[in-house]
Amino acid sequence: HTQARTYQYTGLNEIQQWVGLQGDFFDSILVFENFPKAKYDEDQEPLRIGDMELKERRNFLMNASISVRDEINIEFAYNKDLLEETYAILIKDHFRNVLDQIVVQGKTALSSIELLTAKEKEQLLNTFNDTAVAYPKDQTIVSLFEEQARKTPNAIALVYEGTELSYRELDEKSNKLAHYLRSACEINKEDLVAVMIDRSLWGIISLLGILKSGATYLPIEINYPIERKSFILEDSSAKALIIESTSILDVIDFKVKVISIDIQFEGFEEVDENYRDYEISPQDIAYVIYTSGSTGKPKGVMIAHTSNVNMSLDQIRRFGIVSEDKVLQFASMSFDASVSEIFMAFYTGACLVLISENTISDTSKFLNYIEKEKVSVVTFPPVYLATLDKQKLQFLRVIITAGEAAIVEDALFFADKLNYFNAYGPTECAVCLTTYQVSEKDTNSLKIPIGKPIANLQIYILDSDMNPNPLGVEGEIYAAGIGVSRGYLNRLDLTRSKFVSNPYGEGSLYRTGDRGRWLADGNLEFLGRDDDQVKIRGYRIELGEVESALHRQPGV
């Protein structure tokens, strides 16, 4: 009964109302015929497992009738209105598999009994994770951007409130900053350089300049409390902090070299485009993004160049991004979704359209702005999309929602008129782990799936003993592959607890803390968290961090 409940079925509440029943009632029944039966002596032949049939019957969710004579015969019956045939067959086969092992092994620990058949294991571990796709393993964010700048130097790379930068101009300005960081600030390979700038041309120039210097980009949200900004700078040991001059009074007490890029930039030395005399490796850490921590302290996630390259190229393929597209940079620079938006544009020669927080907060201004700029590709938290006038968004070509569960009504509305994708991924896995394109087949869905793993990543739904769960059975989502982070900056113990040995392949497994299950078609369904983490407008918030802050207040 308990196991059957964990399989996917729908319609039970409706049927309960239809027959007029109130309160709880049982949905499965097991009938054991010829009971009790004389106890067998130990030296007697063990019972054999005989026939095991599966029939349709319109009564309970599932019945099992067991008769014992010279052998055990079992008849399963299921109601096809309540339980899909795929899951009914699985329950029957799992029951048989368990009985066979008990008969052969006798006394044994429950945890050692295999629920899955060899065929199922192959499907769950390998078939659903057959994601191998060739990608340029020798390339970095820098090399792909510079290659695009050489291909389309005059194409517009950035637009922000009436100001444009071509790929050539963006390349030259970021080269100039990179040279300044190396020569004047003595920045070296994988040193952390922080940026505290809202969405702007200077923010993008800073990101690329840091990466071109061989350093690691560390974005800090400009609206964070001063204590949080200070903590991130100290915890990361950042070598420099890039700001715009309007923030100079906010950083006056920080013990770090501050660069006011909009004031100082003209004083930077001009450089030849071929000046670089150092190597940037695909395995180098490209960026560190701090995310909420359950112990009260934010933690920095380290992502390598090659992880971004693999993820971004996969998104370009799936979303069909082309050079004619205009991609909106909606996410804050301190949120990893911004990395996805920026590089799906730059790797294709598309135009990245920046937008201010003030415009985002006024939905009328927002809609006018993106229509005026002819934006074609957007990524939103579902809750923000729900605030917009649906009728005024139909000029878009692609909508991607992420950060929270997709809202079914909105997803179905847009899927009928444009390309709508639901994406999922924690910061620890280079932005995106899975994607799903919503279509008319989802019309009767209660939830929108999060899809299948992207290129060169693997997903496992495991139980508490790290064994794979069957189709339809809830477990923790684990991730492996090229997109998985190198861990948490300066947090070895936390890294070891979250990034564990992978019994199913190479590298480590990241324990997401998210709950999910495989659907029969190989897509994943998200089922919430197994801890207190919540999402607010797409941002991860650990309630432990809020609790810790409250405990520090007098009187609490």
Side-chain angles (χ1 to χ4, degrees):
H1 167 77
T2 305
Q3 188 65 51
R5 266 190 178 282
T6 66
Y7 286 81
Q8 175 176 299
Y9 60 91
T10 59
L12 200 58
N13 290 337
E14 288 79 0
I15 290 174
Q16 183 175 342
Q17 294 166 9
W18 177 66
V19 299
L21 294 173
Q22 301 296 321
D24 292 332
F25 69 107
F26 58 89
D27 51 26
S28 298
I29 187 168
L30 183 144
V31 178
F32 200 104
E33 299 175 10
N34 305 329
F35 183 84
K37 186 172 176 65
K39 184 179 179 181
Y40 283 90
D41 295 329
E42 289 186 4
D43 57 353
Q44 192 170 347
E45 284 288 319
L47 285 172
R48 298 187 308 276
I49 309 299
D51 296 333
M52 194 173 285
E53 298 181 82
L54 180 66
K55 297 181 178 179
E56 290 183 18
R57 190 173 295 155
R58 296 182 62 85
N59 47 12
F60 298 104
L61 171 74
M62 198 160 201
N63 300 358
S65 298
I66 302 173
S67 60
V68 180
R69 293 180 178 82
D70 295 329
E71 59 185 14
I72 300 175
N73 295 304
I74 304 174
E75 178 188 283
F76 281 96
Y78 74 102
N79 187 332
K80 67 178 182 180
D81 294 329
L82 298 178
L83 186 65
E84 293 179 28
E85 182 183 24
T86 299
Y87 299 107
I89 293 171
L90 280 176
I91 294 172
K92 176 183 77 71
D93 290 347
H94 292 160
F95 201 92
R96 177 66 187 245
N97 205 29
V98 169
L99 284 184
D100 284 342
Q101 290 172 78
I102 291 173
V103 167
V104 172
Q105 297 173 17
K107 290 181 180 179
T108 186
L110 287 175
S111 59
S112 69
I113 294 176
E114 289 273 1
L115 201 61
L116 303 176
T117 64
K119 182 179 179 181
E120 284 180 278
K121 269 192 170 181
E122 175 66 21
Q123 180 188 46
L124 295 168
L125 298 178
N126 299 320
T127 304
F128 286 171
N129 284 313
D130 184 14
T131 60
V133 174
Y135 80 102
K137 297 179 182 179
D138 59 336
Q139 299 287 344
T140 66
I141 295 173
V142 172
S143 62
L144 286 182
F145 171 77
E146 291 180 337
E147 180 183 341
Q148 188 59 52
R150 287 191 293 271
K151 284 181 183 176
T152 57
N154 298 319
I156 300 303
L158 287 177
V159 170
Y160 182 56
E161 296 184 344
T163 304
E164 297 179 345
L165 280 183
S166 69
Y167 273 86
R168 178 191 289 113
E169 291 170 320
L170 181 55
D171 191 37
E172 290 172 350
K173 288 180 183 296
S174 54
N175 278 343
K176 194 173 176 181
L177 174 59
H179 180 67
Y180 175 79
L181 292 173
R182 296 287 295 196
S183 59
C185 304
E186 298 182 346
I187 296 298
N188 294 306
K189 187 184 182 76
E190 290 195 341
D191 284 343
L192 271 78
V193 178
V195 177
M196 197 176 73
I197 299 176
D198 202 357
R199 307 166 187 83
S200 72
L201 302 180
W202 288 121
I204 303 298
I205 291 167
S206 298
L207 163 58
L208 288 171
I210 291 166
L211 295 178
K212 286 184 175 208
S213 74
T216 299
Y217 164 69
L218 169 62
I220 299 178
E221 172 59 49
I222 196 167
N223 294 317
Y224 277 163
I226 192 74
E227 294 83 0
R228 192 179 186 91
K229 296 173 185 175
S230 180
F231 172 84
I232 293 174
L233 287 170
E234 291 178 15
D235 184 68
S236 64
S237 300
K239 293 290 184 68
L241 169 63
I242 301 175
I243 63 168
E244 288 187 273
S245 56
T246 51
S247 300
I248 194 67
L249 294 180
D250 297 333
V251 301
I252 198 164
D253 294 326
F254 292 164
K255 297 175 182 177
V256 64
K257 181 176 178 60
V258 176
I259 303 166
S260 296
I261 189 168
D262 54 332
I263 292 177
Q264 296 177 235
F265 187 79
E266 292 307 319
F268 294 170
E269 182 183 344
E270 294 290 345
V271 294
D272 184 274
E273 64 179 56
N274 299 313
Y275 78 97
R276 197 174 298 132
D277 58 359
Y278 50 89
E279 181 184 1
I280 302 171
S281 166
Q283 303 307 321
D284 289 348
I285 299 301
Y287 65 85
V288 170
I289 286 185
Y290 273 75
T291 187
S292 186
S294 59
T295 61
K297 293 182 179 180
K299 51 190 184 289
V301 180
M302 302 181 288
I303 300 293
H305 281 260
T306 195
S307 297
N308 171 270
V309 168
N310 175 72
M311 184 276 302
S312 295
L313 294 181
D314 182 87
Q315 287 193 320
I316 288 165
R317 285 190 297 269
R318 290 173 188 258
F319 305 153
I321 309 299
V322 293
S323 59
E324 291 77 21
D325 275 317
K326 286 193 168 184
V327 180
L328 182 69
Q329 197 222 309
F330 178 89
S332 161
M333 296 285 283
S334 65
F335 189 27
D336 66 340
S338 66
V339 178
S340 165
E341 294 163 336
I342 292 165
F343 294 108
M344 78 165 76
F346 287 170
Y347 293 165
T348 55
C351 176
L352 185 69
V353 178
L354 306 180
I355 188 169
S356 71
E357 190 66 38
N358 287 337
T359 303
I360 289 173
S361 63
D362 184 326
T363 56
S364 178
K365 285 171 64 176
F366 173 82
L367 289 168
N368 290 336
Y369 181 78
I370 63 171
E371 185 171 16
K372 174 188 161 208
E373 296 294 348
K374 296 182 171 56
V375 168
S376 58
V377 180
V378 296
T379 302
F380 292 139
V383 289
Y384 185 82
L385 177 60
T387 67
L388 302 175
D389 186 336
K390 296 185 183 69
Q391 303 298 333
K392 294 181 178 180
L393 285 172
Q394 296 182 47
F395 64 89
L396 296 171
R397 190 179 66 78
V398 175
I399 291 179
I400 305 145
T401 55
E404 294 172 313
I407 297 170
V408 176
E409 179 186 355
D410 290 346
L412 294 174
F413 175 86
F414 287 113
D416 184 50
K417 297 165 177 61
L418 45 83
N419 297 298
Y420 183 102
F421 295 88
N422 189 31
Y424 159 80
T427 303
E428 288 83 352
C429 295
V431 187
C432 189
L433 267 180
T434 66
T435 58
Y436 180 80
Q437 183 166 11
V438 182
S439 67
E440 60 182 12
K441 70 181 180 183
D442 299 299
T443 300
N444 296 317
S445 297
L446 300 177
K447 287 185 177 181
I448 300 297
I450 57 175
K452 299 178 180 180
I454 70 167
N456 304 308
L457 269 79
Q458 297 82 46
I459 300 287
Y460 305 100
I461 306 295
L462 306 180
D463 64 18
S464 57
D465 295 312
M466 292 189 69
N467 295 313
N469 274 351
L471 284 179
V473 177
E474 178 180 339
E476 184 172 0
I477 301 175
Y478 286 72
I482 195 63
V484 173
S485 162
R486 286 230 306 240
Y488 299 110
L489 182 68
N490 302 327
R491 303 286 293 276
L492 185 58
D493 289 347
L494 184 59
T495 297
R496 285 174 175 168
S497 68
K498 288 291 190 178
F499 297 83
V500 298
S501 177
N502 183 2
Y504 305 112
E506 298 178 356
S508 60
L509 278 180
Y510 171 61
R511 301 184 57 176
T512 67
D514 290 329
R515 309 292 294 177
R517 63 180 175 184
W518 287 111
L519 302 178
D521 60 1
N523 283 297
L524 285 154
E525 185 176 84
F526 177 79
L527 297 172
R529 292 286 299 175
D530 62 5
D531 60 15
D532 294 328
Q533 186 190 107
V534 297
K535 291 288 186 75
I536 300 177
R537 297 190 301 278
Y539 288 89
R540 275 167 53 171
I541 304 295
E542 298 281 359
L543 295 186
E545 185 172 353
V546 179
E547 181 181 2
S548 176
L550 289 173
H551 278 304
R552 292 196 297 270
Q553 304 307 309
V556 176

mmCIF file of all heavy atoms in Angstrom, residues 157-177:
data_model
loop_
_atom_site.group_PDB
_atom_site.id
_atom_site.type_symbol
_atom_site.label_atom_id
_atom_site.label_comp_id
_atom_site.label_asym_id
_atom_site.label_seq_id
_atom_site.Cartn_x
_atom_site.Cartn_y
_atom_site.Cartn_z
ATOM 1 N N ALA A 157 26.854 44.432 -29.815
ATOM 2 C CA ALA A 157 26.944 43.449 -28.732
ATOM 3 C C ALA A 157 26.068 43.834 -27.554
ATOM 4 O O ALA A 157 25.454 42.970 -26.914
ATOM 5 C CB ALA A 157 28.394 43.306 -28.272
ATOM 6 N N LEU A 158 26.009 45.140 -27.245
ATOM 7 C CA LEU A 158 25.301 45.623 -26.061
ATOM 8 C C LEU A 158 24.417 46.815 -26.397
ATOM 9 O O LEU A 158 24.819 47.691 -27.169
ATOM 10 C CB LEU A 158 26.292 46.078 -24.983
ATOM 11 C CG LEU A 158 27.087 45.030 -24.208
ATOM 12 C CD1 LEU A 158 28.047 45.725 -23.260
ATOM 13 C CD2 LEU A 158 26.159 44.106 -23.445
ATOM 14 N N VAL A 159 23.248 46.849 -25.761
ATOM 15 C CA VAL A 159 22.373 48.011 -25.843
ATOM 16 C C VAL A 159 21.902 48.322 -24.431
ATOM 17 O O VAL A 159 21.476 47.421 -23.692
ATOM 18 C CB VAL A 159 21.142 47.735 -26.739
ATOM 19 C CG1 VAL A 159 20.126 48.863 -26.621
ATOM 20 C CG2 VAL A 159 21.553 47.564 -28.178
ATOM 21 N N TYR A 160 21.995 49.596 -24.049
ATOM 22 C CA TYR A 160 21.500 49.987 -22.737
ATOM 23 C C TYR A 160 20.970 51.412 -22.792
ATOM 24 O O TYR A 160 21.728 52.372 -22.909
ATOM 25 C CB TYR A 160 22.597 49.885 -21.683
ATOM 26 C CG TYR A 160 22.131 50.234 -20.290
ATOM 27 C CD1 TYR A 160 21.054 49.573 -19.709
ATOM 28 C CD2 TYR A 160 22.768 51.229 -19.563
ATOM 29 C CE1 TYR A 160 20.623 49.888 -18.431
ATOM 30 C CE2 TYR A 160 22.344 51.549 -18.266
ATOM 31 C CZ TYR A 160 21.270 50.865 -17.710
ATOM 32 O OH TYR A 160 20.845 51.179 -16.438
ATOM 33 N N GLU A 161 19.659 51.528 -22.762
ATOM 34 C CA GLU A 161 18.980 52.817 -22.709
ATOM 35 C C GLU A 161 19.557 53.835 -23.698
ATOM 36 O O GLU A 161 19.981 54.931 -23.328
ATOM 37 C CB GLU A 161 19.023 53.357 -21.275
ATOM 38 C CG GLU A 161 18.259 52.464 -20.303
ATOM 39 C CD GLU A 161 18.200 53.014 -18.897
ATOM 40 O OE1 GLU A 161 18.999 53.919 -18.583
ATOM 41 O OE2 GLU A 161 17.361 52.543 -18.106
ATOM 42 N N GLY A 162 19.608 53.437 -24.948
ATOM 43 C CA GLY A 162 20.033 54.335 -26.016
ATOM 44 C C GLY A 162 21.503 54.297 -26.358
ATOM 45 O O GLY A 162 21.932 54.865 -27.367
ATOM 46 N N THR A 163 22.329 53.620 -25.548
ATOM 47 C CA THR A 163 23.765 53.511 -25.822
ATOM 48 C C THR A 163 24.080 52.116 -26.348
ATOM 49 O O THR A 163 23.561 51.124 -25.840
ATOM 50 C CB THR A 163 24.590 53.776 -24.549
ATOM 51 O OG1 THR A 163 24.228 55.047 -24.024
ATOM 52 C CG2 THR A 163 26.073 53.766 -24.859
ATOM 53 N N GLU A 164 24.936 52.063 -27.372
ATOM 54 C CA GLU A 164 25.295 50.784 -27.983
ATOM 55 C C GLU A 164 26.811 50.594 -27.951
ATOM 56 O O GLU A 164 27.571 51.555 -27.998
ATOM 57 C CB GLU A 164 24.820 50.724 -29.440
ATOM 58 C CG GLU A 164 23.313 50.808 -29.612
ATOM 59 C CD GLU A 164 22.919 50.775 -31.090
ATOM 60 O OE1 GLU A 164 23.821 50.985 -31.942
ATOM 61 O OE2 GLU A 164 21.734 50.553 -31.388
ATOM 62 N N LEU A 165 27.219 49.332 -27.884
ATOM 63 C CA LEU A 165 28.629 48.966 -28.056
ATOM 64 C C LEU A 165 28.695 47.825 -29.061
ATOM 65 O O LEU A 165 27.945 46.850 -28.944
ATOM 66 C CB LEU A 165 29.266 48.503 -26.743
ATOM 67 C CG LEU A 165 29.726 49.548 -25.727
ATOM 68 C CD1 LEU A 165 30.399 48.855 -24.545
ATOM 69 C CD2 LEU A 165 30.682 50.548 -26.356
ATOM 70 N N SER A 166 29.590 47.928 -30.035
ATOM 71 C CA SER A 166 29.799 46.837 -30.985
ATOM 72 C C SER A 166 30.686 45.771 -30.339
ATOM 73 O O SER A 166 31.304 46.004 -29.286
ATOM 74 C CB SER A 166 30.462 47.360 -32.255
ATOM 75 O OG SER A 166 31.808 47.758 -31.978
ATOM 76 N N TYR A 167 30.766 44.628 -30.983
ATOM 77 C CA TYR A 167 31.649 43.575 -30.484
ATOM 78 C C TYR A 167 33.101 44.056 -30.464
ATOM 79 O O TYR A 167 33.856 43.730 -29.541
ATOM 80 C CB TYR A 167 31.503 42.300 -31.320
ATOM 81 C CG TYR A 167 30.379 41.409 -30.833
ATOM 82 C CD1 TYR A 167 29.066 41.600 -31.268
ATOM 83 C CD2 TYR A 167 30.620 40.400 -29.917
ATOM 84 C CE1 TYR A 167 28.034 40.803 -30.811
ATOM 85 C CE2 TYR A 167 29.603 39.588 -29.451
ATOM 86 C CZ TYR A 167 28.307 39.797 -29.893
ATOM 87 O OH TYR A 167 27.279 39.002 -29.420
ATOM 88 N N ARG A 168 33.508 44.814 -31.472
ATOM 89 C CA ARG A 168 34.877 45.338 -31.493
ATOM 90 C C ARG A 168 35.117 46.267 -30.301
ATOM 91 O O ARG A 168 36.132 46.152 -29.603
ATOM 92 C CB ARG A 168 35.161 46.092 -32.790
ATOM 93 C CG ARG A 168 36.576 46.704 -32.812
ATOM 94 C CD ARG A 168 36.806 47.680 -33.951
ATOM 95 N NE ARG A 168 36.870 46.992 -35.238
ATOM 96 C CZ ARG A 168 35.974 47.116 -36.202
ATOM 97 N NH1 ARG A 168 34.918 47.908 -36.025
ATOM 98 N NH2 ARG A 168 36.106 46.465 -37.347
ATOM 99 N N GLU A 169 34.186 47.194 -30.063
ATOM 100 C CA GLU A 169 34.354 48.141 -28.959
ATOM 101 C C GLU A 169 34.373 47.440 -27.609
ATOM 102 O O GLU A 169 35.179 47.767 -26.725
ATOM 103 C CB GLU A 169 33.223 49.175 -28.996
ATOM 104 C CG GLU A 169 33.298 50.132 -30.184
ATOM 105 C CD GLU A 169 32.046 50.965 -30.318
ATOM 106 O OE1 GLU A 169 30.936 50.431 -30.107
ATOM 107 O OE2 GLU A 169 32.176 52.154 -30.660
ATOM 108 N N LEU A 170 33.484 46.466 -27.438
ATOM 109 C CA LEU A 170 33.440 45.717 -26.180
ATOM 110 C C LEU A 170 34.727 44.925 -25.982
ATOM 111 O O LEU A 170 35.267 44.858 -24.864
ATOM 112 C CB LEU A 170 32.223 44.795 -26.166
ATOM 113 C CG LEU A 170 32.001 43.953 -24.906
ATOM 114 C CD1 LEU A 170 31.942 44.827 -23.657
ATOM 115 C CD2 LEU A 170 30.730 43.119 -25.046
ATOM 116 N N ASP A 171 35.242 44.337 -27.056
ATOM 117 C CA ASP A 171 36.487 43.583 -26.991
ATOM 118 C C ASP A 171 37.650 44.500 -26.594
ATOM 119 O O ASP A 171 38.457 44.173 -25.710
ATOM 120 C CB ASP A 171 36.756 42.935 -28.358
ATOM 121 C CG ASP A 171 37.877 41.914 -28.322
ATOM 122 O OD1 ASP A 171 37.988 41.184 -27.316
ATOM 123 O OD2 ASP A 171 38.649 41.846 -29.294
ATOM 124 N N GLU A 172 37.732 45.660 -27.225
ATOM 125 C CA GLU A 172 38.836 46.595 -26.954
ATOM 126 C C GLU A 172 38.771 47.134 -25.526
ATOM 127 O O GLU A 172 39.799 47.224 -24.838
ATOM 128 C CB GLU A 172 38.802 47.746 -27.965
ATOM 129 C CG GLU A 172 39.173 47.322 -29.384
ATOM 130 C CD GLU A 172 38.944 48.430 -30.400
ATOM 131 O OE1 GLU A 172 38.319 49.462 -30.029
ATOM 132 O OE2 GLU A 172 39.372 48.266 -31.556
ATOM 133 N N LYS A 173 37.582 47.511 -25.068
ATOM 134 C CA LYS A 173 37.455 48.074 -23.728
ATOM 135 C C LYS A 173 37.765 47.022 -22.656
ATOM 136 O O LYS A 173 38.414 47.325 -21.637
ATOM 137 C CB LYS A 173 36.043 48.638 -23.528
ATOM 138 C CG LYS A 173 35.785 49.923 -24.311
ATOM 139 C CD LYS A 173 34.378 50.438 -24.093
ATOM 140 C CE LYS A 173 34.095 51.671 -24.938
ATOM 141 N NZ LYS A 173 34.940 52.830 -24.584
ATOM 142 N N SER A 174 37.318 45.797 -22.866
ATOM 143 C CA SER A 174 37.607 44.752 -21.871
ATOM 144 C C SER A 174 39.086 44.371 -21.892
ATOM 145 O O SER A 174 39.669 44.049 -20.845
ATOM 146 C CB SER A 174 36.718 43.523 -22.105
ATOM 147 O OG SER A 174 36.821 43.048 -23.429
ATOM 148 N N ASN A 175 39.743 44.442 -23.072
ATOM 149 C CA ASN A 175 41.199 44.231 -23.140
ATOM 150 C C ASN A 175 41.931 45.288 -22.319
ATOM 151 O O ASN A 175 42.892 44.997 -21.594
ATOM 152 C CB ASN A 175 41.681 44.312 -24.589
ATOM 153 C CG ASN A 175 41.492 43.019 -25.347
ATOM 154 O OD1 ASN A 175 41.292 41.969 -24.738
ATOM 155 N ND2 ASN A 175 41.531 43.082 -26.663
ATOM 156 N N LYS A 176 41.478 46.513 -22.441
ATOM 157 C CA LYS A 176 42.122 47.630 -21.743
ATOM 158 C C LYS A 176 42.026 47.439 -20.221
ATOM 159 O O LYS A 176 43.001 47.654 -19.485
ATOM 160 C CB LYS A 176 41.443 48.931 -22.174
ATOM 161 C CG LYS A 176 42.193 50.204 -21.817
ATOM 162 C CD LYS A 176 41.468 51.391 -22.465
ATOM 163 C CE LYS A 176 42.126 52.706 -22.056
ATOM 164 N NZ LYS A 176 41.428 53.867 -22.660
ATOM 165 N N LEU A 177 40.851 47.031 -19.743
ATOM 166 C CA LEU A 177 40.680 46.770 -18.318
ATOM 167 C C LEU A 177 41.544 45.594 -17.871
ATOM 168 O O LEU A 177 42.180 45.648 -16.809
ATOM 169 C CB LEU A 177 39.212 46.497 -18.004
ATOM 170 C CG LEU A 177 38.912 46.060 -16.560
ATOM 171 C CD1 LEU A 177 39.362 47.123 -15.561
ATOM 172 C CD2 LEU A 177 37.432 45.732 -16.384
#
